[in-house]
Amino acid sequence: MILDKRSKYLRSLIIRMIKVGKRGHIGSAMSLIEILRVLYDHFLVFDPLKPSCENRDRLILSKGHGCLALFAILADKKFFSKKHLDTFCEPKSILGGHPEFGKVPGVEASTGSLGHGLPIGVGMAIAAKLKNKNYKIIVITGDGELNEGSNWEALMSANKHKLNNLCLIVDYNKIQSYGNTSEVLDLEPLSKKLSSFGLHVLEVDGHNIEKIKVCLNTFQNNLNCPTAIICHTIKGKGLPFAENNPSWHHKSNITETEFDKINTALSIKE
Amino acid sequence: MRKASLLKINEIAYQNKKVIFIGSDLGSGVLNDMKKNLPNQFMMEGVSEQNIIGIAAGLAFEGFIPFVNTIATFLTRRCFEQIAIDLCLHNLPVKLIANGGGAVYAPLGPTHLATDDIGILRTLPNMTIIAPCDSVEMKNLIEASINWPSPMYVRLGKGGDKIITDKKEKFIIGKGIIKKEPQNGLFVTTGVMSQMALEACKILEKENINCGVMHLHTIKPLDENIINKYFPKVDSIVTIEEHSIIGGLGSSILEFCNINLPNEIHKISRIGIPDQFSDQYGNQNSLLNYWGISPKSISLEMKKNLLRFKDN
């Protein structure tokens, strides 16, 4: 997929943060952008002026290391001023290497250690049912994150409670920190595994805006069980030299030459 | 004590629809009444403790008051990270009701012995740790816990423990109780060790040594006022705990005194479980006795400590 102006713009906000912090999970954030973009542009109910309003949809970025993408879209949606992007990882910044509840408006739970978001999301989804509320709970996990057993425990509970208000989105970029997920700890057959845990499973190109929209509409209309959307993505998407390159999972000490290449790829004028 | 806690939770759940009970895979028939009459407030989520802590966090985020109940070691050892991040980092009002504190599960061996639970959890900011001494105090605690704003760990004794709580006694989280006024020596205790300390006092009385008992049901936060008031008054202080000698009540007292009462530190002796995994079965009393925790041994320690103080 060729990135349009908005996708490039959101990526440029990530680079704006990286230029201050000089580090970050760049590859992990770049694969997420279109997923978050569709959610915030077209699907989620939220009010940036009242980030805790009762009837909002809840989104938990369980792969907290992808927070650069979340910060970019939250700033874009005016949950906080874009000026904060220029403080990334500074001592008193609200924006650090993982998203923190209470510090960053719009962040529903502090994440970073993997395998926590889905159980919390299950609890929130049960709570919505108990309160007879219609809001949705979206939990985004990474692929390597699904190595954690707590996710599979949570899926059993999600199925038991028929949580049709819960959607698991897997950012399946096929590369975890050390290397290919197929080599480190293979998830396949992921779709069958999730189906066998009682989820309605959809698979989509995680950079295709229209197709992601279709999947989210299917979730919206699913009355019987939790939904899983496996988003096939490209780690480092938008930066040709970083795409599918494990060394860009997390990057520090980025050189000026590398920044030049990034600017060129995203058409950023300095 | 466990039965008292569950019945109290059940009773409160009828009045407060925010109360949710989550068990793991508890014994058959536990809280049948709640399951039948309050099905929306009762969950049994299987042997998935990490998941259960996360679910409890999610419910608490949404304004519910979850009580999670399972075996102490499964909560503290297995779910340490979930407790640290899901509960403590977010400072959510989830109550962890932990079965089998200390040597309760003696016949089941070291996988089930919660000898390190207090030490494990005491390091976590926002965590409150409570070890009630009997079923009366337990009921008072459950009632008081409803409006407590932070995560709370409640360590349960075996059950059938001698009642030493006066029904008129006021229970305030974080406030210690003087079970017996001290003269020469003071036992500082938590949980069911308070009963043992009272027995030790009777042994010592026969030798005209008058000791008191300070029951600190709340180990964290520590009641600093009661310690500041009583420690300077006595000649000897012996802490007693059904917990590893590392990291529990005694350690907490020493840490406090190190900063606040440095002149009292030399009076303190600590009794707890040695730094080793259990290598015996038997029952709670036999195991405690094996570890040197009995009315007789703690009274001897008090005598020894009083002499040591005199020598100094």
Side-chain angles (χ1 to χ4, degrees):
Chain A
M1 292 294 295
I2 296 169
L3 298 180
D4 66 7
K5 203 173 159 187
R6 178 152 174 76
S7 279
K8 283 190 176 179
Y9 166 71
L10 291 170
R11 282 176 170 78
S12 76
L13 295 181
I14 290 177
I15 302 308
R16 184 167 160 181
M17 287 181 269
I18 295 291
K19 282 181 179 164
V20 180
K22 306 285 182 206
R23 61 182 303 144
H25 287 86
I26 300 173
S28 315
M30 292 296 178
S31 63
L32 259 181
I33 284 287
E34 281 68 41
I35 297 169
L36 288 173
R37 171 184 161 180
V38 176
L39 282 164
Y40 281 88
D41 283 357
H42 303 286
F43 182 79
L44 296 177
V45 173
F46 62 88
D47 179 352
L49 297 176
K50 294 177 191 164
S52 306
C53 64
E54 173 72 5
N55 291 326
R56 75 194 186 281
D57 292 324
R58 276 78 164 153
L59 180 139
I60 299 175
L61 182 65
S62 193
K63 53 166 283 185
H65 58 284
C67 63
L68 284 162
L70 182 62
F71 296 159
I73 195 82
L74 289 176
D76 177 71
K77 293 294 179 189
K78 299 187 168 38
F79 277 86
F80 51 83
S81 162
K82 287 198 188 77
K83 285 179 187 168
H84 287 287
L85 302 178
D86 301 321
T87 67
F88 179 65
C89 278
E90 285 181 353
K92 292 186 178 173
S93 177
I94 62 167
L95 308 178
H98 293 97
E100 285 195 62
F101 171 78
K103 272 192 182 175
V104 190
V107 167
E108 298 284 354
S110 299
T111 52
S113 178
L114 300 172
H116 288 256
L118 199 48
I120 293 174
V122 167
M124 287 180 172
I126 292 171
K129 297 267 182 198
L130 291 174
K131 291 194 279 188
N132 286 319
K133 293 283 185 180
N134 290 324
Y135 57 76
K136 307 290 184 194
I137 289 85
I138 311 284
V139 177
I140 303 177
T141 69
D143 42 21
E145 177 172 11
L146 293 180
N147 296 167
E148 291 282 6
S150 53
N151 292 305
W152 302 94
E153 292 180 7
L155 290 177
M156 285 194 276
S157 283
N159 181 38
K160 170 185 168 180
H161 295 281
K162 304 289 172 218
L163 299 178
N164 64 320
N165 54 352
L166 176 74
C167 181
L168 162 67
I169 296 180
V170 183
D171 178 8
Y172 198 8
N173 58 38
K174 324 276 184 313
I175 295 174
Q176 53 194 113
S177 181
Y178 183 75
N180 295 332
T181 54
S182 59
E183 291 164 18
V184 177
L185 194 57
D186 197 3
L187 292 171
E188 289 301 328
L190 181 58
S191 177
K192 280 186 185 171
K193 280 177 184 162
L194 292 168
S195 290
S196 73
F197 273 70
L199 283 86
H200 179 60
V201 183
L202 303 160
E203 296 197 61
V204 69
D205 173 349
H207 300 294
N208 187 317
I209 306 292
E210 293 309 315
K211 287 186 178 170
I212 298 172
K213 277 189 207 172
V214 172
C215 289
L216 288 170
N217 286 335
T218 307
F219 158 55
Q220 186 91 293
N221 298 319
N222 178 8
L223 301 177
N224 304 313
C225 61
T227 298
I229 304 175
I230 300 174
C231 290
H232 294 279
T233 56
I234 294 170
K235 194 149 198 155
K237 175 74 178 174
L239 307 176
F241 44 92
E243 287 185 1
N244 294 317
N245 183 347
S247 68
W248 281 80
H249 170 84
H250 178 269
K251 196 83 173 162
S252 53
N253 301 319
I254 302 163
T255 64
E256 285 306 314
T257 316
E258 284 169 326
F259 272 124
D260 288 343
K261 283 162 71 181
I262 290 170
N263 290 341
T264 306
L266 297 177
S267 316
I268 299 171
K269 289 175 189 163
E270 294 238 296
Chain B
M1 205 185 286
R2 178 178 170 224
K3 197 175 168 191
S5 71
L6 297 185
L7 289 175
K8 194 70 190 174
I9 293 166
N10 193 359
E11 182 190 321
I12 292 174
Y14 275 101
Q15 302 147 18
N16 189 335
K17 296 296 166 196
K18 296 280 180 193
V19 169
I20 308 276
F21 177 85
I22 315 175
S24 56
D25 186 26
L26 304 175
S28 174
V30 165
L31 283 181
N32 257 348
D33 174 84
M34 194 171 179
K35 184 182 177 188
K36 188 177 160 199
N37 296 315
L38 303 169
N40 285 343
Q41 292 169 265
F42 176 90
M43 292 166 66
M44 192 66 69
E45 287 303 300
V47 192
S48 69
E49 292 88 357
Q50 300 170 78
N51 170 45
I52 286 171
I53 300 295
I55 289 177
L59 285 162
F61 266 120
E62 300 298 337
F64 289 93
I65 308 169
F67 284 79
V68 173
N69 179 218
T70 189
I71 289 176
T73 52
F74 306 164
L75 279 171
T76 55
R77 290 176 179 166
R78 189 180 207 97
C79 300
F80 179 73
E81 194 183 70
Q82 279 74 21
I83 294 174
I85 294 174
D86 301 354
L87 305 188
C88 291
L89 180 58
H90 296 112
N91 200 14
L92 294 170
V94 173
K95 331 296 172 198
L96 304 172
I97 311 296
N99 300 345
V104 167
Y105 289 129
L108 302 183
T111 60
H112 281 58
L113 289 175
T115 54
D116 44 26
D117 53 337
I118 295 169
I120 288 171
L121 295 186
R122 209 163 60 80
T123 56
L124 296 176
N126 296 331
M127 176 55 80
T128 296
I129 303 174
I130 302 186
C133 61
D134 59 31
S135 59
V136 176
E137 188 169 70
M138 186 71 207
K139 285 182 203 162
N140 294 341
L141 154 65
I142 294 294
E143 214 157 273
S145 75
I146 291 293
N147 295 319
W148 191 251
S150 303
M152 175 184 286
Y153 176 78
V154 179
R155 186 189 220 224
L156 301 188
K158 186 173 67 176
D161 305 285
K162 187 181 173 187
I163 305 294
I164 57 168
T165 301
D166 190 304
K167 284 193 174 161
K168 289 175 192 161
E169 209 168 76
K170 203 173 175 191
F171 181 91
I172 300 171
I173 294 167
K175 293 290 170 200
I177 296 168
I178 297 297
K179 290 287 180 191
K180 186 173 180 300
E181 282 289 334
Q183 286 183 20
N184 310 101
L186 176 66
F187 288 108
V188 181
T189 59
T190 190
V192 296
M193 290 299 99
S194 295
Q195 282 91 326
M196 187 182 285
L198 287 169
E199 277 187 57
C201 287
K202 282 184 191 164
I203 296 172
L204 291 163
E205 266 168 27
K206 288 176 190 162
E207 300 177 46
N208 290 323
I209 302 168
N210 293 307
C211 294
V213 176
M214 178 189 286
H215 170 60
L216 298 179
H217 49 68
T218 308
I219 300 147
K220 188 183 179 183
L222 209 54
D223 183 351
E224 302 184 355
N225 290 335
I226 201 170
I227 294 171
N228 280 325
K229 182 177 171 188
Y230 279 90
F231 276 28
K233 289 183 182 177
V234 297
D235 298 330
S236 163
I237 297 155
V238 179
T239 66
I240 316 288
E241 59 195 311
E242 191 180 0
H243 184 275
S244 167
I245 198 71
I246 299 171
L249 175 70
S251 302
S252 172
I253 297 283
L254 284 184
E255 288 159 18
F256 173 78
C257 291
N258 177 246
I259 295 169
N260 301 286
L261 294 171
N263 294 332
E264 312 301 328
I265 280 187
H266 66 284
K267 296 178 184 175
I268 300 172
S269 173
R270 295 179 300 136
I271 287 191
I273 298 170
D275 180 24
Q276 62 189 50
F277 286 105
S278 150
D279 55 0
Q280 286 202 0
Y281 298 108
N283 58 39
Q284 185 179 15
N285 281 339
S286 71
L287 196 52
L288 286 172
N289 199 40
Y290 171 63
W291 283 329
I293 306 174
S294 68
K296 192 178 169 189
S297 61
I298 66 175
S299 61
L300 282 173
E301 182 64 24
M302 179 61 84
K303 271 168 70 177
K304 204 170 80 183
N305 210 39
L306 280 164
L307 283 172
R308 190 164 66 91
F309 183 70
K310 271 185 188 167
D311 292 345
N312 286 338

